[in-house]
């Protein structure tokens, strides 16, 4: 009986929490975008995630929800083509939430986004330094690849 009350209270809290509601709508928009390729769904997802990040309540529960929200938001930014802001969000996750279960996913995504950003560098030394950092991250991850990093495929690291 207490467990059912707890579940009911949790569901009511989630419905009344605007940040959570917008996160769920953002997740739905991202799913629709990935399913259909329709850019308007990605825009909807981006807007709702932005609202959720801007309006998350500052309490202890939010501190446990924030890294997951930021990870989802950073992925939306990647699909949106905002690679530098995406890298910034991943960096926030890595520096502020070292115990987050998605930490290694964020680390992997920094290598992927970093590789893309390196391809945009005009200075050869900066480009090579960035690629070297990305390779170091991937080598570190390959030592004990987490199960949730399942997007590893053939990557073209040449220029």
């Amino acid at each position: 009986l207490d467990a059912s009350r707890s579940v009911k209270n949790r569901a009511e809290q989630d419905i009344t929490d605007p940040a959570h509601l917008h996160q769920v709508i953002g997740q739905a928009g991202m799913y629709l975008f990935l399913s259909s390729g329709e850019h308007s769904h990605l825009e909807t997802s981006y807007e709702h995630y932005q609202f959720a990040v801007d309006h998350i309540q500052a309490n202890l529960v939010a501190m446990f929800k924030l890294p997951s929200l930021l990870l989802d938001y950073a992925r939306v930014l990647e699909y949106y083509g905002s690679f530098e802001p995406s890298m910034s969000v991943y960096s926030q996750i890595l520096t502020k939430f070292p115990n987050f279960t998605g930490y290694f996913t964020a680390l992997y995504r920094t290598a992927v986004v970093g590789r893309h950003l390196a391809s945009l560098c005009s200075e050869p030394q900066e480009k090579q330094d960035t690629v070297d950092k990305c390779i170091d991250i991937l080598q570190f991850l390959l030592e004990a690849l987490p199960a949730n990093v399942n997007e590893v495929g053939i990557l073209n690291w040449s220029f």
Side-chain angles (χ1 to χ4, degrees):
L1 184 63
D2 286 334
S4 66
R5 249 188 251 136
S6 175
V7 169
K8 181 181 177 193
N9 289 342
R10 175 80 177 129
E12 289 173 357
Q13 177 187 2
D14 286 347
I15 290 171
T16 59
D17 178 7
H20 179 75
L21 182 61
H22 283 274
Q23 181 180 7
V24 170
I25 295 169
Q27 289 169 341
M30 187 63 167
Y31 175 79
L32 290 170
F33 167 72
L34 293 172
S35 299
S36 69
E38 185 69 36
H39 191 67
S40 64
H41 296 303
L42 182 60
E43 290 177 16
T44 299
S45 180
Y46 169 79
E47 290 168 3
H48 285 280
Y49 271 114
Q50 182 67 53
F51 182 92
V53 168
D54 290 344
H55 293 90
I56 194 164
Q57 297 171 359
N59 59 30
L60 186 58
V61 174
M63 290 310 294
F64 291 106
K65 290 181 176 182
L66 185 58
S68 177
L69 171 63
L70 291 174
L71 187 63
D72 289 347
Y73 179 56
R75 286 293 285 158
V76 170
L77 288 170
E78 275 187 67
Y79 279 104
Y80 209 72
S82 300
F83 295 103
E84 289 179 4
S86 177
M87 182 64 90
S88 175
V89 173
Y90 288 132
S91 295
Q92 287 178 27
I93 294 168
L94 296 174
T95 57
K96 295 179 182 176
F97 305 101
N99 296 324
F100 171 50
T101 58
Y103 183 88
F104 292 109
T105 300
L107 189 59
Y108 170 71
R109 296 307 313 163
T110 61
V112 172
V113 172
R115 170 58 184 94
H116 175 73
L117 291 174
S119 70
L120 303 176
C121 289
S122 58
E123 184 184 322
Q125 187 59 47
E126 182 182 358
K127 182 182 285 192
Q128 190 59 51
D129 290 346
T130 304
V131 169
D132 289 345
K133 288 176 188 176
C134 295
I135 290 172
D136 288 344
I137 290 169
L138 292 174
Q139 286 176 334
F140 170 77
L141 288 172
L142 288 174
E143 295 291 323
L145 188 65
N148 61 350
V149 177
N150 58 5
E151 301 175 32
V152 176
I154 298 173
L155 299 174
N156 180 7
W157 290 90
S158 62
F159 293 104

PDB file of all heavy atoms in Angstrom, residues 22 63 79 86:
ATOM      1  N   HIS A  22       8.715  19.044 -19.791  1.00  0.00           N
ATOM      2  CA  HIS A  22       9.370  19.480 -21.026  1.00  0.00           C
ATOM      3  C   HIS A  22      10.462  18.490 -21.458  1.00  0.00           C
ATOM      4  O   HIS A  22      10.692  18.310 -22.656  1.00  0.00           O
ATOM      5  CB  HIS A  22       9.922  20.895 -20.886  1.00  0.00           C
ATOM      6  CG  HIS A  22       8.861  21.934 -20.985  1.00  0.00           C
ATOM      7  ND1 HIS A  22       8.447  22.443 -22.188  1.00  0.00           N
ATOM      8  CD2 HIS A  22       8.086  22.525 -20.038  1.00  0.00           C
ATOM      9  CE1 HIS A  22       7.480  23.321 -21.986  1.00  0.00           C
ATOM     10  NE2 HIS A  22       7.248  23.388 -20.686  1.00  0.00           N
ATOM     11  N   MET A  63      19.488  17.621  -8.753  1.00  0.00           N
ATOM     12  CA  MET A  63      20.909  17.342  -8.955  1.00  0.00           C
ATOM     13  C   MET A  63      21.136  15.920  -9.458  1.00  0.00           C
ATOM     14  O   MET A  63      22.118  15.640 -10.123  1.00  0.00           O
ATOM     15  CB  MET A  63      21.698  17.584  -7.665  1.00  0.00           C
ATOM     16  CG  MET A  63      21.784  19.061  -7.292  1.00  0.00           C
ATOM     17  SD  MET A  63      22.329  20.130  -8.647  1.00  0.00           S
ATOM     18  CE  MET A  63      23.984  19.552  -8.879  1.00  0.00           C
ATOM     19  N   TYR A  79      22.590  16.755 -33.040  1.00  0.00           N
ATOM     20  CA  TYR A  79      21.746  16.560 -34.219  1.00  0.00           C
ATOM     21  C   TYR A  79      21.357  17.889 -34.844  1.00  0.00           C
ATOM     22  O   TYR A  79      21.172  17.989 -36.047  1.00  0.00           O
ATOM     23  CB  TYR A  79      20.481  15.759 -33.870  1.00  0.00           C
ATOM     24  CG  TYR A  79      20.717  14.280 -33.812  1.00  0.00           C
ATOM     25  CD1 TYR A  79      20.801  13.627 -32.598  1.00  0.00           C
ATOM     26  CD2 TYR A  79      20.848  13.535 -34.982  1.00  0.00           C
ATOM     27  CE1 TYR A  79      21.012  12.261 -32.548  1.00  0.00           C
ATOM     28  CE2 TYR A  79      21.069  12.177 -34.940  1.00  0.00           C
ATOM     29  CZ  TYR A  79      21.150  11.538 -33.724  1.00  0.00           C
ATOM     30  OH  TYR A  79      21.363  10.192 -33.665  1.00  0.00           O
ATOM     31  N   SER A  86      27.240  21.760 -27.828  1.00  0.00           N
ATOM     32  CA  SER A  86      27.139  20.367 -27.399  1.00  0.00           C
ATOM     33  C   SER A  86      28.393  19.964 -26.619  1.00  0.00           C
ATOM     34  O   SER A  86      28.303  19.342 -25.551  1.00  0.00           O
ATOM     35  CB  SER A  86      26.960  19.463 -28.620  1.00  0.00           C
ATOM     36  OG  SER A  86      26.922  18.112 -28.234  1.00  0.00           O
TER      37      SER A  86
END
